[in-house]
Structure formats: structure tokens, C-alpha cells
């Protein structure tokens, strides 16, 4: 396939800015909760958000959640500070269970970890990438560098 706007459009190279409605469930202090969330799939905009978070030395997971979890109109529900607890120290950060659930649903909407059935999984040689038949012996571990100074002086 030649890389053109047309071939990319036909093969899923672009992501819609349309949020996907999902139901999430989490537990906090022994109580179960359920909510409807709207999730933007990962895209160029997410990659840019990830880079900006890195440059600003903010939390990359919080930036990912803040970017992808939106309301029905596509506006962010959270700020990074809402997620980390810095917006309101009395309220605190998102719970562990809710954080994992939001990241799970972002991955689900973005189809992370799944390969389309139509894509071949063969390597250039035609063998399966999971084949161990031609694998050589495991390499030996490197010895760690000594923490003591060298006895030879220069």
C-alpha cells in the first residue's frame, strides 16, 4: 500500500473525534459504583498531550485520562490536577480502582492490545514471530560492574 491520504482513510489511519459511550464499574471502600463515560480514542492529539505532559513534567497517566475522558459534547471532564488530587487536596486524587477502570476503557475504545484479524502476523522470513524452533541458546547474563575502584592507578 502506498501511504496517501486516501489509502490511510480507507484503512483506518485516522481517528474520529467522536467520543464513544462506555459504562464503567469500580469499587471504593467496599462500595460498588457504576457510571457512563465518554471516551476519545487515542490519536495524534493524545500523543501531543503525552509529549506536553512530559515536557511540563506532569503525570502522564493523569494527562492521558484528562485528555480522553470527556462529556457528551467532547469537553474534558477532568484536569490533570483533578486526577492527581492537587486541584483539591481535601478531596484527594482519583481512587486506584477508578483510575484503572478509566485506563482500561481508554484502551478498549482505542483497541489497544488487539490486532485486526485481517493483518498477517508473519515475519519477513514467513515464520511465526512466536516460533522458538530456531532460537539459539539463551545468552549469558553480564556480570555487574564492580562497585569498588580499580586497583590500578593512572
Amino acid at each position: 500500500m502506498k501511504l496517501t491520504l486516501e489509502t490511510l482513510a480507507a484503512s483506518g489511519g485516522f481517528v474520529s473525534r467522536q467520543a464513544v459511550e462506555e459504562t464503567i464499574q469500580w469499587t471504593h471502600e467496599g462500595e460498588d459504583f457504576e457510571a457512563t463515560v465518554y471516551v476519545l480514542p487515542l490519536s495524534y492529539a493524545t500523543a501531543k498531550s503525552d509529549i506536553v505532559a512530559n515536557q511540563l513534567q506532569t503525570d502522564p497517566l493523569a494527562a492521558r485520562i484528562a485528555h480522553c475522558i470527556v462529556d457528551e459534547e467532547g469537553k474534558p471532564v477532568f484536569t490533570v490536577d483533578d486526577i492527581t488530587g492537587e486541584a483539591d487536596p481535601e478531596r484527594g486524587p482519583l481512587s486506584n480502582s477508578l483510575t484503572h477502570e478509566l485506563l482500561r476503557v481508554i484502551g478498549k475504545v482505542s483497541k489497544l492490545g488487539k490486532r485486526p484479524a485481517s493483518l498477517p502476523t508473519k515475519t519477513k522470513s514467513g515464520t511465526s514471530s512466536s516460533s522458538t524452533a530456531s532460537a539459539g541458546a539463551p545468552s549469558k547474563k553480564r556480570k555487574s560492574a564492580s562497585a569498588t575502584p580499580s586497583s590500578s592507578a593512572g
Side-chain angles (χ1 to χ4, degrees), residues 6-53:
E6 292 77 22
T7 60
L8 286 175
S11 63
F14 295 98
V15 176
S16 169
R17 286 280 306 163
Q18 183 68 34
V20 177
E21 182 177 315
E22 290 287 333
T23 301
I24 61 170
Q25 298 174 341
W26 74 98
T27 303
H28 181 68
E29 296 180 353
E31 192 173 345
D32 293 333
F33 298 91
E34 183 174 299
T36 299
V37 296
Y38 296 88
V39 184
L40 289 176
L42 298 177
S43 66
Y44 167 81
T46 314
K48 184 177 172 185
S49 172
D50 290 349
I51 291 168
V52 169

Side-chain angles (χ1 to χ4, degrees), residues 23-108:
T23 301
I24 61 170
Q25 298 174 341
W26 74 98
T27 303
H28 181 68
E29 296 180 353
E31 192 173 345
D32 293 333
F33 298 91
E34 183 174 299
T36 299
V37 296
Y38 296 88
V39 184
L40 289 176
L42 298 177
S43 66
Y44 167 81
T46 314
K48 184 177 172 185
S49 172
D50 290 349
I51 291 168
V52 169
N54 185 43
Q55 290 172 338
L56 298 175
Q57 297 182 340
T58 61
D59 188 304
L61 290 177
R64 168 88 35 110
I65 293 169
H67 177 81
C68 292
I69 303 299
V70 297
D71 64 16
E72 290 177 80
E73 285 94 40
K75 295 181 177 119
V77 172
F78 304 109
T79 66
V80 170
D81 288 346
D82 290 327
I83 295 163
T84 63
E86 294 171 36
D88 184 351
E90 193 171 306
R91 181 180 61 215
L94 290 185
S95 73
N96 181 52
S97 178
L98 178 56
T99 300
H100 282 273
E101 185 65 0
L102 292 172
L103 290 170
R104 182 196 66 78
V105 79
I106 291 167
K108 177 185 174 190

